[in-house]
Amino acid sequence: MSTVSETPTDPEQACVLLVDDNPQNLKVLYETLRDKGYQLLIANDGEKALQLARRHHPEVILLDIMMPGMDGFEVCKHLRADTDTALSAIIFLSALNDIDAKVRGFNMGGADYIAKPFQAQEVMARVDTQIRVIQLERVMQARNRQLESEQASLLNAIFEGIYGLDPQGVITFANPAAAEIAGAEQDALVGRRIGDLHFTHDSGEEASHAGRVLCQDGAAVLRRGVTMTRADGTSFQAEYRAAPRFENGELTGSVLVFRDITEELAQERALEETRDLVAEQREQLAHASRLSVMGEMAAGVAHEVNQPLTAIANYVSLVSRMMEKDTLDQDALAEVLEKITAQSHRASEVIRRIRQFVHQPATGKETVDVARLLAESREFAEVDSRNNAIEVSLSIPQHLPYAVADPVQVQQVVLNLIRNALEASRNCGSEEPVEVSAEALKDAVCVRVADRGCGLPEDAEERLFQPFYSNKDEGMGIGLSLCRSLITGQNGEIGFERREGGGTVFWFSLPLADGTVPDPE
Amino acid sequence: MAETEQTVYIVEDDEAVRDSLSMLLRSEGLAVAGYERATRFLEDWHGGMQGCIVLDIRMPEMDGMELQEELIERGSHLPIIFVTGHGDVPLAVEAMRKGAVDFIEKPYREDQLLEKIRAALATDAEQHQGREEKRLIEEQLAQLTPREREIMDRMVAGQANKVIAIELDISQRTVEIHRSRVMHKMGTHSLAQLVRMVMSVRDGDPE
């Protein structure tokens, strides 16, 4: 290692290799370049020069041409042939001041030429220049390599297939993902026509996909759910985007980005099915809740049915007594029979309402006359209203717009809110009526159910609509959470407000039907 | 005062039930008065009413239980038959505890209801008679002079004439005269009956 100067190794420091068989020349060069911030290496023959060059990758090599054994040109040839050393800038040194040697040196890849005897200024200038050039080159190469690898990794990492297409639809480029999806080698794809390869399902109409992806009108296209063919003839569902490529304003082809969405579509279908299932379960829960409401209302309902039945039984007993008499009063009999008929109608009406409430299937969304729906809901609530000895008042503006909703579910929500309100009022000993009102908002119909009950606890905001939360002793806590679920299912909103002067208002809104307002009659 | 007829008072908010029951009971020859509201019945109520009440337990405003309480407060003697719906049995039991004579569940068999009504009317008639007797006894007692009353109390307590004479420091003859006046005014000849009459007034009515 005596040939290596003791300058400490610095990655930023440029390395210069001095090669000359004449120690005097080496000494001059060394003296000239020392203390200039270079790492200096010295070799006095070609073999040593190659060894040092391979080990240290010097930026610049000052190489004497005329040397015994391996001459400068020979060394240069070896340096150039080895990729490890090919990048070093070689500056030839020679006493020969002839054109031939210079030309030969440049032809062999020399970067520069310095004539002996050396002028210190010239040596420094030329070395410095070469070092800057070589360093810039290295930076550029490093950047290039980085860019290339980034681009490659991008193209490789992208799970979307990418094709470059020429204006005739011939594939000029394919990324690994494209090969993966197509089921063929990247190389085998290039040169094939996109239509023959991937769009064999095209019906040959003018708007075929093979034509569309060329973007001949200069506009990008996006298509989803397209059937594409693989190299082996099998097919898959794809989404593709194609964008035109221009060079100097000329359409030079297009870039086609595509991916296999078979699985995605399956997931979407599964998601759709899950949504349906949730809707179905919501409907089942709603039905179960209607049954349970019916159960809670059973005493009242039995009373409702018992009244006409009792009356009928009485009238029938009366008729049998009338018939036992010697003279039959036809008119009186007809009158009583009339009353029996009326009462049996009344009984069947009660039954009809119960059946309607419990067994109505969800009809899905339709145009709903909210005013009528509220009137019907109040009828349902009448039994409860009587049992609680609290009236239910109804206040609806004329020409209330129609809403879009599932009427059965909305009715259930209304009934639930009215029953809650009645219960809250009764528990509080209030005799104020429960007020049901409706109003038209900009893009919704809002229904409000107000009571003068004891109001809600402080933490109601957080918990009220949570399942299994109840501030009633016997409550299941299903009611309001189900209400919210049903109303949000209609794209509506539900909430409550504390009422000035005590009590609570529960409200919900439903989206308007398309600009429909009931005809003024 | 004219003899008051027994009436079945139907307090029932449901018009059809009230109407049908009224017609049925009238066809049985009973006097009937129908009331749609408990409050309306209270407006008409007076202590001299005889008969019974057929009372619906569930009604708006004042319900059957509340009417019963008000009637107890006012000292009504009218027997009450509660008419209940399904599931109201606990209420009916409570009503019975407070003195209702009976209850019947809707829908009912008319012969069962009629039977209960007849029983209630009989109870009322009996109680009415009892009350009439007491009233008579009290009227008779009121006619006694304080001296006669004092001597009667001692008679009823089982004291012999001689004992009464000594304790009151009067002659035995005077005791005998008072005694015969008491028996006359109370309308009886037997000491045993006098004792029964006085006891019945004392037991039944603390007044």
Side-chain angles (χ1 to χ4, degrees):
Chain A
M1 290 291 116
S2 59
T3 51
V4 180
S5 80
E6 53 286 347
T7 326
T9 309
D10 180 341
E12 290 297 308
Q13 199 176 33
C15 176
V16 180
L17 171 59
L18 312 176
V19 187
D20 201 314
D21 60 318
N22 182 338
Q24 191 56 42
N25 281 348
L26 277 180
K27 187 167 181 285
V28 172
L29 288 173
Y30 188 84
E31 294 295 326
T32 306
L33 294 172
R34 66 183 291 189
D35 304 327
K36 297 294 182 293
Y38 306 129
Q39 182 193 1
L40 296 175
L41 303 174
I42 292 165
N44 55 7
D45 66 35
E47 290 293 340
K48 280 185 186 153
L50 288 176
Q51 280 176 20
L52 285 171
R54 284 192 198 104
R55 202 184 303 157
H56 295 280
H57 307 126
E59 272 77 14
V60 173
I61 300 171
L62 297 183
L63 183 57
D64 186 25
I65 294 174
M66 298 297 283
M67 288 189 294
M70 192 186 286
D71 71 5
F73 295 126
E74 187 72 18
V75 171
C76 178
K77 207 166 85 187
H78 280 95
L79 288 171
R80 286 276 170 264
D82 188 336
T83 52
D84 276 354
T85 55
L87 292 174
S88 300
I90 296 167
I91 300 173
F92 284 108
L93 310 171
S94 181
L96 295 175
N97 198 8
D98 64 311
I99 298 298
D100 285 348
K102 283 185 188 170
V103 171
R104 192 172 168 207
F106 282 117
N107 281 346
M108 292 196 66
D112 208 347
Y113 188 95
I114 301 175
K116 296 178 193 175
F118 309 127
Q119 302 299 315
Q121 295 295 332
E122 186 191 354
V123 170
M124 282 191 295
R126 290 191 189 275
V127 166
D128 189 53
T129 302
Q130 289 309 319
I131 283 174
R132 265 196 246 155
V133 169
I134 200 90
Q135 281 181 336
L136 278 175
E137 256 175 26
R138 282 184 180 181
V139 169
M140 273 178 64
Q141 273 173 346
R143 282 219 184 127
N144 264 346
R145 272 197 302 278
Q146 192 189 351
L147 276 177
E148 271 167 18
S149 80
E150 273 174 8
Q151 194 178 8
S153 61
L154 266 179
L155 290 178
N156 290 341
I158 283 171
F159 65 97
E160 294 183 307
I162 301 174
Y163 285 136
L165 300 176
D166 74 6
Q168 281 70 49
V170 174
I171 297 169
T172 56
F173 166 83
N175 74 341
E180 177 83 13
I181 298 172
E185 292 293 320
Q186 263 173 285
D187 295 346
L189 292 171
V190 174
R192 298 209 38 193
R193 298 180 64 88
I194 188 77
D196 301 342
L197 180 63
H198 283 312
F199 295 116
T200 59
H201 284 81
D202 271 12
S203 52
E205 291 164 24
E206 54 160 347
S208 68
H209 293 295
R212 268 202 201 113
V213 298
L214 300 180
C215 307
Q216 278 158 341
D217 58 357
V221 284
L222 168 64
R223 287 287 183 281
R224 192 176 164 77
V226 177
T227 305
M228 281 177 75
T229 321
R230 294 190 188 90
D232 64 1
T234 58
S235 60
F236 61 96
Q237 291 298 302
E239 177 187 280
Y240 72 72
R241 282 166 285 143
R245 282 195 303 182
F246 293 98
E247 245 167 60
N248 303 324
E250 288 279 312
L251 187 70
T252 59
S254 64
V255 173
L256 174 65
V257 179
F258 67 105
R259 65 197 166 98
D260 185 342
I261 58 168
T262 310
E263 208 166 296
E264 210 175 294
L265 289 178
Q267 279 172 354
E268 276 171 18
R269 269 196 302 279
L271 193 65
E272 194 61 35
E273 277 164 22
T274 311
R275 252 185 231 126
D276 289 349
L277 195 65
V278 168
E280 193 181 306
Q281 282 171 345
R282 183 155 54 201
E283 166 57 20
Q284 278 172 5
L285 180 58
H287 182 238
S289 162
R290 286 200 291 274
L291 284 177
S292 107
V293 166
M294 245 23 255
E296 289 165 25
M297 292 168 74
V301 168
H303 183 73
E304 281 291 277
V305 181
N306 274 341
Q307 300 290 53
L309 290 184
T310 303
I312 289 169
N314 287 339
Y315 286 131
V316 169
S317 303
L318 179 64
V319 168
S320 26
R321 276 171 181 70
M322 289 166 80
M323 296 184 68
E324 281 163 14
K325 285 184 181 158
D326 298 337
T327 54
L328 189 56
D329 183 341
Q330 294 278 355
D331 290 346
L333 183 63
E335 189 195 332
V336 176
L337 289 178
E338 186 72 23
K339 289 180 173 179
I340 290 174
T341 310
Q343 290 307 305
S344 62
H345 281 317
R346 180 182 161 196
S348 60
E349 175 62 18
V350 174
I351 307 262
R352 187 191 64 76
R353 281 204 314 226
I354 296 167
R355 286 172 62 103
Q356 190 192 349
F357 178 68
V358 174
H359 289 298
Q360 248 176 346
T363 50
K365 282 175 201 173
E366 55 184 74
T367 303
V368 176
D369 182 348
V370 177
R372 202 166 128 192
L373 186 145
L374 291 179
E376 281 174 8
S377 303
R378 185 173 62 164
E379 264 182 42
F380 279 131
E382 204 169 289
V383 181
D384 261 20
S385 160
R386 285 230 308 265
N387 287 346
N388 288 305
I390 295 161
E391 267 187 64
V392 176
S393 75
L394 201 55
S395 132
I396 297 168
Q398 278 196 318
H399 313 313
L400 187 70
Y402 290 164
V404 180
D406 180 326
V408 179
Q409 296 189 347
V410 174
Q411 189 162 66
Q412 183 167 359
V413 171
V414 174
L415 188 56
N416 206 327
L417 295 182
I418 291 178
R419 295 189 69 231
N420 280 351
L422 286 170
E423 205 174 319
S425 301
R426 190 196 55 196
N427 289 345
C428 212
S430 162
E431 290 182 359
E432 296 271 318
V434 166
E435 298 162 25
V436 179
S437 61
E439 63 175 325
L441 304 179
K442 194 161 72 65
D443 49 7
V445 178
C446 184
V447 175
R448 300 161 70 86
V449 178
D451 66 58
R452 284 290 181 199
C454 299
L456 294 165
E458 284 291 315
D459 60 350
E461 273 84 352
E462 287 164 28
R463 302 165 62 191
L464 202 56
F465 288 100
Q466 298 292 320
F468 309 116
Y469 168 74
S470 177
N471 56 2
K472 295 187 248 174
D473 292 341
E474 70 279 20
M476 273 266 289
I478 291 292
L480 282 175
S481 98
L482 179 64
C483 283
R484 180 160 73 171
S485 162
L486 291 179
I487 289 298
T488 50
Q490 325 274 348
N491 298 324
E493 288 176 39
I494 186 165
F496 67 90
E497 291 156 14
R498 293 188 169 76
R499 238 181 139 182
E500 257 180 58
T504 313
V505 182
F506 277 91
W507 58 265
F508 66 87
S509 63
L510 296 170
L512 285 185
D514 306 323
T516 49
V517 175
D519 292 330
E521 274 177 53
Chain B
M1 205 200 324
E3 187 68 16
T4 321
E5 194 187 5
Q6 278 194 316
T7 303
V8 180
Y9 299 98
I10 302 172
V11 186
E12 160 72 65
D13 64 310
D14 191 283
E15 203 234 320
V17 173
R18 197 171 64 244
D19 176 64
S20 60
L21 187 56
S22 300
M23 288 175 81
L24 179 62
L25 296 182
R26 282 196 188 102
S27 80
E28 283 289 301
L30 295 168
V32 178
Y35 292 91
E36 190 188 349
R37 290 281 185 271
T39 44
R40 280 280 300 112
F41 177 73
L42 280 177
E43 282 168 23
D44 280 8
W45 183 87
H46 60 84
M49 280 181 165
Q50 285 181 55
C52 69
I53 306 173
V54 177
L55 180 54
D56 189 8
I57 215 159
R58 283 174 183 268
M59 281 185 298
E61 294 172 32
M62 179 182 261
D63 69 19
M65 301 290 289
E66 288 166 336
L67 177 60
Q68 182 190 26
E69 271 175 35
E70 180 62 29
L71 289 175
I72 291 169
E73 187 87 354
R74 294 190 184 188
S76 165
H77 302 287
L78 286 172
I80 299 173
I81 300 167
F82 270 102
V83 182
T84 74
H86 175 78
D88 290 335
V89 175
L91 278 181
V93 169
E94 174 67 14
M96 293 290 285
R97 213 177 51 74
K98 285 184 178 164
V101 294
D102 212 339
F103 75 91
I104 190 163
E105 208 172 329
K106 253 193 271 188
Y108 43 73
R109 289 176 51 93
E110 111 281 357
D111 49 353
Q112 285 178 349
L113 178 62
L114 281 170
E115 201 178 294
K116 286 174 193 290
I117 287 175
R118 293 225 161 81
L121 291 178
T123 305
D124 176 61
E126 211 173 275
Q127 287 179 349
H128 180 69
Q129 200 186 337
R131 284 197 303 277
E132 278 301 298
E133 279 169 10
K134 267 193 211 168
R135 198 173 55 76
L136 192 65
I137 292 165
E138 274 161 6
E139 269 176 25
Q140 287 162 342
L141 286 174
Q143 288 168 17
L144 302 181
T145 63
R147 194 54 155 183
E148 285 165 359
R149 182 76 188 231
E150 190 173 18
I151 287 171
M152 186 199 73
D153 285 345
R154 286 169 186 270
M155 285 160 65
V156 170
Q159 285 185 356
N161 287 354
K162 198 194 263 179
V163 177
I164 297 171
I166 293 166
E167 288 196 355
L168 293 181
D169 197 18
I170 53 176
S171 75
Q172 202 164 325
R173 173 70 193 151
T174 309
V175 173
E176 274 165 18
I177 291 167
H178 282 308
R179 183 182 177 120
S180 102
R181 279 188 191 144
V182 167
M183 295 302 258
H184 178 73
K185 282 181 179 174
M186 293 305 290
T188 183
H189 299 292
S190 130
L191 178 60
Q193 197 183 348
L194 178 69
V195 170
R196 198 163 57 239
M197 285 165 75
V198 173
M199 295 310 283
S200 80
V201 175
R202 282 182 190 164
D203 285 353
D205 212 337
E207 217 175 335

PDB file of all heavy atoms in Angstrom, chain A residues 32 52 62 96-97 110 141 155 172 206 215 263 295 320 366 413 415 484 508:
ATOM      1  N   THR A  32       1.880  18.530  -7.766  1.00  0.00           N
ATOM      2  CA  THR A  32       0.931  19.470  -8.359  1.00  0.00           C
ATOM      3  C   THR A  32      -0.471  19.313  -7.756  1.00  0.00           C
ATOM      4  O   THR A  32      -1.177  20.276  -7.491  1.00  0.00           O
ATOM      5  CB  THR A  32       0.843  19.226  -9.887  1.00  0.00           C
ATOM      6  OG1 THR A  32       2.151  19.286 -10.434  1.00  0.00           O
ATOM      7  CG2 THR A  32      -0.038  20.288 -10.551  1.00  0.00           C
ATOM      8  N   LEU A  52      -5.512  -0.940  -9.003  1.00  0.00           N
ATOM      9  CA  LEU A  52      -5.979   0.198  -8.200  1.00  0.00           C
ATOM     10  C   LEU A  52      -7.316   0.731  -8.723  1.00  0.00           C
ATOM     11  O   LEU A  52      -8.221   1.060  -7.951  1.00  0.00           O
ATOM     12  CB  LEU A  52      -4.939   1.319  -8.193  1.00  0.00           C
ATOM     13  CG  LEU A  52      -3.695   1.061  -7.301  1.00  0.00           C
ATOM     14  CD1 LEU A  52      -2.641   2.135  -7.557  1.00  0.00           C
ATOM     15  CD2 LEU A  52      -4.113   1.056  -5.827  1.00  0.00           C
ATOM     16  N   LEU A  62      -4.868   9.741 -14.663  1.00  0.00           N
ATOM     17  CA  LEU A  62      -3.851  10.368 -15.525  1.00  0.00           C
ATOM     18  C   LEU A  62      -2.944   9.234 -15.990  1.00  0.00           C
ATOM     19  O   LEU A  62      -2.277   8.595 -15.173  1.00  0.00           O
ATOM     20  CB  LEU A  62      -3.046  11.414 -14.729  1.00  0.00           C
ATOM     21  CG  LEU A  62      -3.868  12.598 -14.200  1.00  0.00           C
ATOM     22  CD1 LEU A  62      -2.947  13.609 -13.499  1.00  0.00           C
ATOM     23  CD2 LEU A  62      -4.628  13.284 -15.319  1.00  0.00           C
ATOM     24  N   LEU A  96       4.783  12.719 -26.466  1.00  0.00           N
ATOM     25  CA  LEU A  96       4.494  12.739 -27.896  1.00  0.00           C
ATOM     26  C   LEU A  96       3.482  13.826 -28.183  1.00  0.00           C
ATOM     27  O   LEU A  96       2.375  13.807 -27.653  1.00  0.00           O
ATOM     28  CB  LEU A  96       3.900  11.381 -28.331  1.00  0.00           C
ATOM     29  CG  LEU A  96       4.853  10.184 -28.205  1.00  0.00           C
ATOM     30  CD1 LEU A  96       4.079   8.911 -28.545  1.00  0.00           C
ATOM     31  CD2 LEU A  96       6.029  10.360 -29.153  1.00  0.00           C
ATOM     32  N   ASN A  97       3.927  14.719 -28.928  1.00  0.00           N
ATOM     33  CA  ASN A  97       3.046  15.835 -29.189  1.00  0.00           C
ATOM     34  C   ASN A  97       2.478  15.728 -30.591  1.00  0.00           C
ATOM     35  O   ASN A  97       2.391  16.685 -31.325  1.00  0.00           O
ATOM     36  CB  ASN A  97       3.818  17.152 -29.024  1.00  0.00           C
ATOM     37  CG  ASN A  97       2.857  18.321 -28.861  1.00  0.00           C
ATOM     38  OD1 ASN A  97       1.671  18.103 -28.729  1.00  0.00           O
ATOM     39  ND2 ASN A  97       3.388  19.524 -28.912  1.00  0.00           N
ATOM     40  N   GLY A 110     -10.546   8.089 -24.370  1.00  0.00           N
ATOM     41  CA  GLY A 110      -9.899   9.061 -23.506  1.00  0.00           C
ATOM     42  C   GLY A 110     -10.729  10.327 -23.424  1.00  0.00           C
ATOM     43  O   GLY A 110     -11.423  10.698 -24.370  1.00  0.00           O
ATOM     44  N   GLN A 141     -26.503   9.549 -13.518  1.00  0.00           N
ATOM     45  CA  GLN A 141     -26.752   8.116 -13.668  1.00  0.00           C
ATOM     46  C   GLN A 141     -27.508   7.560 -12.469  1.00  0.00           C
ATOM     47  O   GLN A 141     -28.436   6.771 -12.610  1.00  0.00           O
ATOM     48  CB  GLN A 141     -25.432   7.372 -13.854  1.00  0.00           C
ATOM     49  CG  GLN A 141     -25.030   7.320 -15.299  1.00  0.00           C
ATOM     50  CD  GLN A 141     -23.637   6.734 -15.481  1.00  0.00           C
ATOM     51  OE1 GLN A 141     -22.883   6.600 -14.513  1.00  0.00           O
ATOM     52  NE2 GLN A 141     -23.306   6.417 -16.709  1.00  0.00           N
ATOM     53  N   LEU A 155     -44.849   0.521 -12.256  1.00  0.00           N
ATOM     54  CA  LEU A 155     -45.547  -0.268 -13.273  1.00  0.00           C
ATOM     55  C   LEU A 155     -45.729  -1.714 -12.821  1.00  0.00           C
ATOM     56  O   LEU A 155     -46.730  -2.342 -13.105  1.00  0.00           O
ATOM     57  CB  LEU A 155     -44.800  -0.220 -14.603  1.00  0.00           C
ATOM     58  CG  LEU A 155     -44.853   1.139 -15.308  1.00  0.00           C
ATOM     59  CD1 LEU A 155     -44.050   1.095 -16.597  1.00  0.00           C
ATOM     60  CD2 LEU A 155     -46.298   1.537 -15.602  1.00  0.00           C
ATOM     61  N   THR A 172     -48.019  -1.822 -27.955  1.00  0.00           N
ATOM     62  CA  THR A 172     -46.611  -1.458 -28.061  1.00  0.00           C
ATOM     63  C   THR A 172     -45.910  -1.590 -26.725  1.00  0.00           C
ATOM     64  O   THR A 172     -44.688  -1.557 -26.639  1.00  0.00           O
ATOM     65  CB  THR A 172     -46.466  -0.003 -28.536  1.00  0.00           C
ATOM     66  OG1 THR A 172     -47.192   0.837 -27.626  1.00  0.00           O
ATOM     67  CG2 THR A 172     -47.037   0.177 -29.924  1.00  0.00           C
ATOM     68  N   GLU A 206     -70.022  -0.501 -34.484  1.00  0.00           N
ATOM     69  CA  GLU A 206     -69.054   0.588 -34.598  1.00  0.00           C
ATOM     70  C   GLU A 206     -68.545   1.042 -33.225  1.00  0.00           C
ATOM     71  O   GLU A 206     -67.404   1.438 -33.080  1.00  0.00           O
ATOM     72  CB  GLU A 206     -69.670   1.771 -35.352  1.00  0.00           C
ATOM     73  CG  GLU A 206     -70.973   2.232 -34.736  1.00  0.00           C
ATOM     74  CD  GLU A 206     -71.325   3.640 -35.157  1.00  0.00           C
ATOM     75  OE1 GLU A 206     -70.455   4.318 -35.700  1.00  0.00           O
ATOM     76  OE2 GLU A 206     -72.466   4.039 -34.917  1.00  0.00           O
ATOM     77  N   CYS A 215     -59.422   5.850 -28.571  1.00  0.00           N
ATOM     78  CA  CYS A 215     -59.691   7.267 -28.295  1.00  0.00           C
ATOM     79  C   CYS A 215     -59.485   8.118 -29.533  1.00  0.00           C
ATOM     80  O   CYS A 215     -58.836   9.165 -29.495  1.00  0.00           O
ATOM     81  CB  CYS A 215     -58.787   7.793 -27.180  1.00  0.00           C
ATOM     82  SG  CYS A 215     -58.847   6.817 -25.692  1.00  0.00           S
ATOM     83  N   GLU A 263     -64.028 -10.278  -9.124  1.00  0.00           N
ATOM     84  CA  GLU A 263     -64.165 -10.443  -7.686  1.00  0.00           C
ATOM     85  C   GLU A 263     -64.868  -9.244  -7.059  1.00  0.00           C
ATOM     86  O   GLU A 263     -65.712  -9.383  -6.188  1.00  0.00           O
ATOM     87  CB  GLU A 263     -62.774 -10.593  -7.071  1.00  0.00           C
ATOM     88  CG  GLU A 263     -62.765 -11.397  -5.796  1.00  0.00           C
ATOM     89  CD  GLU A 263     -61.343 -11.775  -5.444  1.00  0.00           C
ATOM     90  OE1 GLU A 263     -60.722 -12.532  -6.217  1.00  0.00           O
ATOM     91  OE2 GLU A 263     -60.862 -11.283  -4.418  1.00  0.00           O
ATOM     92  N   GLY A 295     -99.474  -6.844  21.615  1.00  0.00           N
ATOM     93  CA  GLY A 295     -99.569  -7.549  22.889  1.00  0.00           C
ATOM     94  C   GLY A 295     -99.809  -6.573  24.033  1.00  0.00           C
ATOM     95  O   GLY A 295    -100.687  -6.781  24.866  1.00  0.00           O
ATOM     96  N   SER A 320    -134.780 -12.865  21.080  1.00  0.00           N
ATOM     97  CA  SER A 320    -135.434 -14.128  21.460  1.00  0.00           C
ATOM     98  C   SER A 320    -136.607 -13.880  22.406  1.00  0.00           C
ATOM     99  O   SER A 320    -137.611 -14.578  22.341  1.00  0.00           O
ATOM    100  CB  SER A 320    -134.446 -15.130  22.042  1.00  0.00           C
ATOM    101  OG  SER A 320    -133.371 -14.484  22.604  1.00  0.00           O
ATOM    102  N   GLU A 366     -93.151   4.239  -1.426  1.00  0.00           N
ATOM    103  CA  GLU A 366     -94.141   4.702  -2.375  1.00  0.00           C
ATOM    104  C   GLU A 366     -94.510   6.125  -1.998  1.00  0.00           C
ATOM    105  O   GLU A 366     -94.063   6.652  -0.983  1.00  0.00           O
ATOM    106  CB  GLU A 366     -95.358   3.782  -2.349  1.00  0.00           C
ATOM    107  CG  GLU A 366     -95.962   3.611  -0.975  1.00  0.00           C
ATOM    108  CD  GLU A 366     -97.120   2.614  -0.985  1.00  0.00           C
ATOM    109  OE1 GLU A 366     -96.857   1.403  -1.084  1.00  0.00           O
ATOM    110  OE2 GLU A 366     -98.265   3.075  -0.920  1.00  0.00           O
ATOM    111  N   VAL A 413     -93.896   4.011  13.315  1.00  0.00           N
ATOM    112  CA  VAL A 413     -93.132   5.026  14.044  1.00  0.00           C
ATOM    113  C   VAL A 413     -94.086   6.023  14.697  1.00  0.00           C
ATOM    114  O   VAL A 413     -93.948   6.352  15.871  1.00  0.00           O
ATOM    115  CB  VAL A 413     -92.158   5.753  13.097  1.00  0.00           C
ATOM    116  CG1 VAL A 413     -91.526   6.939  13.797  1.00  0.00           C
ATOM    117  CG2 VAL A 413     -91.092   4.792  12.605  1.00  0.00           C
ATOM    118  N   LEU A 415     -97.209   5.645  15.540  1.00  0.00           N
ATOM    119  CA  LEU A 415     -97.949   5.011  16.641  1.00  0.00           C
ATOM    120  C   LEU A 415     -97.053   4.874  17.866  1.00  0.00           C
ATOM    121  O   LEU A 415     -97.468   5.143  18.994  1.00  0.00           O
ATOM    122  CB  LEU A 415     -98.465   3.640  16.184  1.00  0.00           C
ATOM    123  CG  LEU A 415     -99.418   2.952  17.155  1.00  0.00           C
ATOM    124  CD1 LEU A 415    -100.602   3.854  17.462  1.00  0.00           C
ATOM    125  CD2 LEU A 415     -99.905   1.636  16.583  1.00  0.00           C
ATOM    126  N   ARG A 484     -85.712   4.961  14.838  1.00  0.00           N
ATOM    127  CA  ARG A 484     -84.631   5.606  14.105  1.00  0.00           C
ATOM    128  C   ARG A 484     -84.205   4.760  12.912  1.00  0.00           C
ATOM    129  O   ARG A 484     -83.996   5.266  11.819  1.00  0.00           O
ATOM    130  CB  ARG A 484     -83.430   5.866  15.002  1.00  0.00           C
ATOM    131  CG  ARG A 484     -82.328   6.545  14.195  1.00  0.00           C
ATOM    132  CD  ARG A 484     -81.348   7.240  15.028  1.00  0.00           C
ATOM    133  NE  ARG A 484     -80.503   6.285  15.697  1.00  0.00           N
ATOM    134  CZ  ARG A 484     -79.429   6.622  16.382  1.00  0.00           C
ATOM    135  NH1 ARG A 484     -79.122   7.879  16.493  1.00  0.00           N
ATOM    136  NH2 ARG A 484     -78.707   5.725  16.971  1.00  0.00           N
ATOM    137  N   PHE A 508     -89.867  13.651  13.197  1.00  0.00           N
ATOM    138  CA  PHE A 508     -89.107  12.969  12.148  1.00  0.00           C
ATOM    139  C   PHE A 508     -89.475  13.599  10.818  1.00  0.00           C
ATOM    140  O   PHE A 508     -90.531  14.236  10.682  1.00  0.00           O
ATOM    141  CB  PHE A 508     -89.366  11.461  12.140  1.00  0.00           C
ATOM    142  CG  PHE A 508     -90.765  11.062  11.779  1.00  0.00           C
ATOM    143  CD1 PHE A 508     -91.129  10.887  10.457  1.00  0.00           C
ATOM    144  CD2 PHE A 508     -91.709  10.844  12.774  1.00  0.00           C
ATOM    145  CE1 PHE A 508     -92.422  10.513  10.123  1.00  0.00           C
ATOM    146  CE2 PHE A 508     -92.992  10.470  12.452  1.00  0.00           C
ATOM    147  CZ  PHE A 508     -93.359  10.305  11.123  1.00  0.00           C
TER     148      PHE A 508
END
